[in-house]
Amino acid sequence: MAYNSLDVLPQMLATIPDGATVVIVVNASGDPDAVANIGGQNGARVICNPQNLGFGVACNIGATQAQTEFLLFLNPDAQLLDGALDALVAAADNFTAASAFNPAITDKRGRSCLKRRSVLLPASDKLPPAIPTCSREVPVLSGAALFVRRAAFEQVGGFDPHLFMYHEDDDLSLRLKAAFGPLYFVRDARVRHHGGLSSPRTPETAAFKAYHMGRSRIYAARKHNIPGAQRNALFSALIQLATPFTLFSARKRAKQAAFLRGIHSAMKNEASR
């Protein structure tokens, strides 16, 4: 899925192995013709949505166009390192009961981005800080580079369209695990995720993302019956809004205020049900 990601798409596409089916779903980006041109140069099919339908819906649309045994959802600011796709396929063959996988994701400095916990899971499920030295089962997966069996993805109905962005990977992970099989971290598959480069770093963009993060947090927590979710989300938002780092940064102020508005909006929706 791409949203104003023109600056990073070429680098991501250059790491896709020859012969792989690639689908780019553009969510109302500023220059869809340029994205279509880049996609065409790299053998990718490009689908342009006239509106921003959200991360999960765009991924679902892309999945219908790739009739393959496995699906890899890869952020536009992520890059596959040598042999990553082959290692993921090999892991799927080795761990036949597993439904979905994450590669070993690192940031641009080489630091691990392993997802250790989720607000949709109890704290006791959090992974220890040590980076796994081998492939292993994990409690939740990151959507930055999510490799899943098509059969499992379709069985659970794909990403929840009500989650515009954020927590959609947590929600999908828990449904995959419950309906199909465990989730795995694949040590030998490596992906570099630059993070934050798939869209502009402006106060407006930060506010847009944070608003939907707040809404998604409340919706996903209700869906998975998380106790005290509204109280905890409100407390977190108010604490972050009052910190000195937030007060002296226009971007952080916009982000935290929008997060609070998103929480409030979702709570109003829940109350009206």
Side-chain angles (χ1 to χ4, degrees), residues 48-269:
C48 294
N49 294 325
Q51 298 178 328
N52 187 351
L53 303 178
F55 179 87
V57 172
C59 287
N60 288 343
I61 291 172
T64 65
Q65 303 300 313
Q67 298 303 316
T68 50
E69 182 181 359
F70 304 105
L71 300 169
L72 172 63
F73 297 100
L74 186 66
N75 277 17
D77 56 356
Q79 298 169 4
L80 297 176
L81 301 187
D82 288 347
L85 196 56
D86 287 339
L88 288 167
V89 173
D93 290 339
N94 291 333
F95 304 107
T96 55
S99 58
F101 309 80
N102 260 163
I105 305 172
T106 57
D107 65 15
K108 60 184 178 181
R109 297 181 182 178
R111 298 173 298 190
S112 173
C113 299
L114 175 65
K115 193 166 187 175
R116 303 182 184 280
R117 66 178 301 273
S118 166
V119 295
L120 304 183
L121 289 170
S124 58
D125 284 359
K126 182 179 179 180
L127 291 176
I131 301 172
T133 58
C134 61
S135 298
R136 58 155 293 173
E137 188 175 342
V138 291
V140 67
L141 297 177
S142 165
L146 195 155
F147 186 76
V148 58
R149 300 183 195 277
R150 168 179 290 281
F153 184 78
E154 292 179 346
Q155 181 175 323
V156 301
F159 288 98
D160 186 336
H162 294 98
L163 289 165
F164 185 87
M165 62 189 304
Y166 294 109
H167 302 300
E168 70 287 325
D169 46 1
D170 305 60
D171 168 69
L172 178 64
S173 294
L174 300 190
R175 289 186 288 116
L176 284 168
K177 183 165 57 174
F180 199 95
L183 314 168
Y184 265 78
F185 164 82
V186 183
R187 187 70 180 88
D188 294 335
R190 297 176 298 129
V191 168
R192 183 176 294 118
H193 182 215
H194 292 274
L197 298 182
S198 57
S199 56
R201 290 179 60 82
T202 63
E204 293 77 17
T205 299
F208 176 80
K209 290 182 176 181
Y211 175 80
H212 287 290
M213 180 187 289
R215 285 185 57 87
S216 293
R217 180 162 175 175
I218 298 301
Y219 171 85
R222 180 197 62 79
K223 178 178 178 179
H224 292 274
N225 300 311
I226 307 301
Q230 293 185 355
R231 180 188 66 247
N232 293 339
L234 273 174
F235 180 75
S236 174
L238 292 172
I239 289 295
Q240 290 297 320
L241 191 59
T243 62
F245 292 107
T246 298
L247 295 176
F248 291 102
S249 167
R251 184 175 178 276
K252 290 183 182 295
R253 288 198 306 273
K255 177 180 178 181
Q256 296 305 328
F259 181 57
L260 188 59
R261 289 198 302 273
I263 291 171
H264 181 255
S265 173
M267 290 175 62
K268 285 179 60 178
N269 285 351

Side-chain angles (χ1 to χ4, degrees), residues 2 23-29 31-37 45-51 53 61:
V23 180
I24 303 171
V25 181
V26 182
N27 260 344
S29 281
D31 197 345
D33 291 337
V35 175
N37 182 53
R45 177 172 184 181
V46 179
I47 300 171
C48 294
N49 294 325
Q51 298 178 328
L53 303 178
I61 291 172

